[in-house]
C-alpha cells in the first residue's frame, strides 16, 4: 500500500471531468456539506483526482479506466480530526461497472457490493487484522521510546527481529490468500506487497507467481512484477553483481567494473532518508577502518530531480568521502531498478571479482564482515 500512496501523491495528475467505465455510489451516514469525498486513482499511467459533495450521506463518482487498479478515497468530515494523521480514508479497487459502498459513519467501516475485487480485498483485510494488531503494538512501543533509545543499535536490532516475526505471519496469510484466489488482481498486489518484505525468498515468490492464472501475469503489473523478481534473482548472494555506469557529483561517468580488484560496497541511500542518515556513521567508520585494505564504497543516491543540492550537502555533512553517483530520478534510478531496490538503505558487498558476498550489512555488521574478509 505504501507504494500506491507514494505513486498517487507524487505523480502528475489530471482533474476528472468525464463519464465512462465505472460508477461509484456511496452512502456514509447522514453527512452533509461541507463534508466532501476525494478520489485518487490512475488511468493509463496518469493520476486522476476527483471530488464529490455529500448530501444526506450520499455521493457518486463516474470515470474511465484502462484496467482495474487500486485507488484512494478520503472523506473530509464537517469537523476535521484533531490529529491530521487520523484522516478518514480507504484503499480500495476501481473496476468497470457499478461499485456500491455503505457505512454508518465513516469510510473506515465501509462495506462493498457489486465489486468482485473489493469483496476479495475485504476477505484479505479481515484475514490480516491480527497481523495489523501486532504492527500497531510494535509501533506503540517505538513511539513510547525516547530519542536515545530509538537511535540505539540494540533497539534497532530488537525492532528488526520483531518485524521479521510479524512479516512471517503476514506472509502466511498472503500465501494462503493467493492459493485461494489465483485469478484475482488482489492476489497480484498481494505478491507485490509480499515481495517488498521478502525479496530474498525467491523460491516462494516464484511459487506464488507461478500459481497465478496467466491472465494476471500477462498484465502490465504482472510483467513488471516478474521483471522485478528477475532482478532480485540476479542479485542473490553468490551472483556476479550487475555492472552499471552512472555519473558522479561532477557529471563524470563511473563504471562499477573499474573497481575490480577491491572489495566494493554498493550502497543505496538518499539525503531525504532518515534511516540512511542514521546508518551513515557506521558506514563511515567501516570505510575509515578498511579503506587502505583493498576496500572502497560506491554510493548510489535515490535523490529527486530537484535534490542535487541536498544530495551534495548530505555527502559533506555526513563525511562520506568516497565515490558517489546518481541520475537524480528518485525511485526510477536506473541502478536501483537494475538491482531491484525498493527501499533504502540497502547495500551489496562485492568481492574483488565482482561477486556478491553479502547484502544489507547494517550497523557494526559491515565492519565485522570486512574484518573477516580482509585479514
Amino acid at each position: 500500500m505504501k507504494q500506491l500512496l507514494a505513486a498517487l501523491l507524487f505523480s502528475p495528475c489530471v482533474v476528472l471531468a468525464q463519464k465512462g467505465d465505472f460508477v461509484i455510489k456511496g452512502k456514509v451516514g447522514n453527512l452533509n456539506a461541507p463534508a466532501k469525498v476525494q478520489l485518487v486513482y490512475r488511468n493509463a499511467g496518469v493520476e486522476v483526482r476527483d471530488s464529490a459533495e455529500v448530501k444526506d450521506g450520499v455521493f457518486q463518482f463516474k470515470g474511465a479506466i484502462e484496467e482495474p487498479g487500486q485507488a484512494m478515497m478520503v472523506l473530509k468530515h464537517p469537523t476535521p480530526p484533531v490529529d491530521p494523521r487520523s484522516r478518514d480514508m480507504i484503499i480500495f479497487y476501481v473496476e468497470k461497472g457499478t461499485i456500491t459502498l455503505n457505512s454508518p459513519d465513516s469510510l473506515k467501516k465501509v462495506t462493498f457490493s457489486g465489486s468482485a475485487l473489493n469483496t476479495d480485498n475485504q476477505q484479505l483485510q479481515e484475514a490480516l487484522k491480527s497481523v495489523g494488531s501486532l504492527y500497531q503494538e510494535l509501533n506503540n512501543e517505538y513511539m513510547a521510546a525516547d530519542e536515545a533509545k530509538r537511535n540505539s543499535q540494540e533497539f534497532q536490532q530488537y525492532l528488526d527481529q520483531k518485524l521479521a516475526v510479524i512479516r512471517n505471519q503476514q506472509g502466511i496469510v498472503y500465501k494462503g490468500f493467493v492459493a485461494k484466489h489465483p485469478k484475482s488482481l488482489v492476489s497480484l498486489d498481494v505478491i507485490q506487497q509480499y515481495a517488498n518484505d521478502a525479496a530474498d525468498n525467491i523460491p516462494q515468490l516464484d511459487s506464488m507467481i507461478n500459481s497465478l492464472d496467466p491472465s494476471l501475469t500477462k498484465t502490465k503489473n504482472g510483467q513488471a512484477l516478474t521483471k522485478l523478481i528477475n532482478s532480485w534473482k540476479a542479485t542473490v548472494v553468490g551472483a556476479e553483481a550487475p555492472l552499471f555506469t552512472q555519473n558522479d557529483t561532477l557529471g563524470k561517468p563511473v563504471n562499477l567494473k573499474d573497481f575490480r580488484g577491491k572489495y566494493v560496497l554498493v550502497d543505496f541511500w538518499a539525503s531525504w532518508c532518515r534511516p540512511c542518515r542514521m546508518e551513515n556513521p557506521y558506514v563511515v567508520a567501516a570505510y575509515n577502518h578498511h579503506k587502505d585494505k583493498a576496500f572502497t564504497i560506491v554510493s548510489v543516491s535515490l535523490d529527486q530531480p530537484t535534490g542535487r543540492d541536498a544530495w551534495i550537502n548530505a555527502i559533506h555533512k555526513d563525511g562520506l568521502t568516497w565515490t558517489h553517483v546518481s541520475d537524480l530520478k528518485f525511485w526510477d534510478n536506473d541502478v536501483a531498478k537494475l538491482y531491484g531496490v525498493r527501499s533504502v538503505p540497502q547495500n551489496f558487498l562485492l568481492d574483488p571479482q565482482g561477486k556478491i558476498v553479502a547484502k544489507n550489512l547494517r550497523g557494526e555488521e559491515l565492519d565485522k564482515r570486512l574484518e573477516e574478509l580482509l585479514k
Side-chain angles (χ1 to χ4, degrees), residues 150-202:
R150 291 182 188 179
N151 293 336
S152 70
Q153 185 177 0
E154 293 76 15
F155 191 58
Q156 289 295 324
Q157 291 175 342
Y158 166 77
L159 292 177
D160 288 343
Q161 292 170 356
K162 294 280 284 188
L163 277 173
V165 172
I166 297 172
R167 285 171 176 168
N168 181 64
Q169 294 187 37
Q170 182 173 264
I172 293 172
V173 174
Y174 283 160
K175 286 179 279 187
F177 180 87
V178 172
K180 293 179 181 179
H181 301 81
K183 295 184 178 181
S184 176
L185 176 65
V186 181
S187 289
L188 189 61
D189 290 335
V190 161
I191 298 175
Q192 174 72 73
Q193 185 61 44
Y194 181 75
N196 292 334
D197 298 330
D200 289 331
N201 196 345
I202 300 299

Side-chain angles (χ1 to χ4, degrees), residues 336-355:
K337 291 193 292 185
L338 181 65
Y339 278 68
V341 171
R342 301 295 301 276
S343 63
V344 286
Q346 280 198 53
N347 60 50
F348 300 79
L349 182 61
L350 319 184
D351 70 8
Q353 291 73 46
K355 184 181 293 184

Side-chain angles (χ1 to χ4, degrees), residues 103-272:
S103 171
D105 52 23
S106 70
L107 292 180
K108 295 178 180 178
K109 298 179 182 179
V110 73
T111 58
F112 289 89
S113 59
S115 169
L117 287 178
N118 286 301
T119 298
D120 290 346
N121 189 46
Q122 285 195 312
Q123 292 176 8
L124 173 64
Q125 299 311 315
E126 187 66 29
L128 285 170
K129 278 186 177 180
S130 60
V131 177
S133 297
L134 294 175
Y135 273 121
Q136 187 60 54
E137 289 174 10
L138 188 60
N139 183 67
N140 292 342
E141 191 171 352
Y142 173 81
M143 296 303 295
D146 58 33
E147 190 69 18
K149 184 176 181 180
R150 291 182 188 179
N151 293 336
S152 70
Q153 185 177 0
E154 293 76 15
F155 191 58
Q156 289 295 324
Q157 291 175 342
Y158 166 77
L159 292 177
D160 288 343
Q161 292 170 356
K162 294 280 284 188
L163 277 173
V165 172
I166 297 172
R167 285 171 176 168
N168 181 64
Q169 294 187 37
Q170 182 173 264
I172 293 172
V173 174
Y174 283 160
K175 286 179 279 187
F177 180 87
V178 172
K180 293 179 181 179
H181 301 81
K183 295 184 178 181
S184 176
L185 176 65
V186 181
S187 289
L188 189 61
D189 290 335
V190 161
I191 298 175
Q192 174 72 73
Q193 185 61 44
Y194 181 75
N196 292 334
D197 298 330
D200 289 331
N201 196 345
I202 300 299
Q204 184 61 55
L205 288 170
D206 266 344
S207 175
M208 293 171 75
I209 281 283
N210 292 334
S211 71
L212 294 178
D213 189 86
S215 62
L216 286 180
T217 55
K218 291 178 181 179
T219 63
K220 290 180 180 179
N221 288 341
Q223 292 174 353
L225 181 57
T226 300
K227 183 178 180 181
L228 175 64
I229 293 173
N230 287 337
S231 71
W232 286 337
K233 291 179 181 178
T235 56
V236 297
V237 172
E240 184 173 327
L243 295 175
F244 62 83
T245 299
Q246 198 158 91
N247 288 349
D248 64 13
T249 57
L250 299 177
K252 296 180 180 179
V254 173
N255 191 327
L256 180 63
K257 192 173 183 179
D258 293 340
F259 295 88
R260 290 284 170 84
K262 292 185 176 183
Y263 282 92
V264 181
L265 186 74
V266 180
D267 183 42
F268 292 88
W269 75 300
S271 68
W272 46 261

Side-chain angles (χ1 to χ4, degrees), residues 16 18-22 41-46 48 63-70 94-97 117 185 218-221:
L16 180 65
Q18 55 186 335
K19 59 182 180 179
D21 298 333
F22 70 84
Y41 65 98
R42 298 183 71 82
N43 181 35
V46 179
V48 182
I65 49 170
E66 185 178 67
E67 58 184 22
Q70 289 183 330
V94 173
E95 58 182 320
K96 293 183 179 181
L117 287 178
L185 176 65
K218 291 178 181 179
T219 63
K220 290 180 180 179
N221 288 341

Side-chain angles (χ1 to χ4, degrees), residues 10 272 301-311 326-333:
F10 294 107
W272 46 261
S301 168
L302 275 63
D303 273 281
Q304 302 184 52
T306 58
R308 177 178 171 77
D309 289 344
W311 173 41
S326 182
D327 56 14
L328 298 176
K329 291 182 180 179
F330 201 26
W331 290 109
D332 283 331
N333 182 286

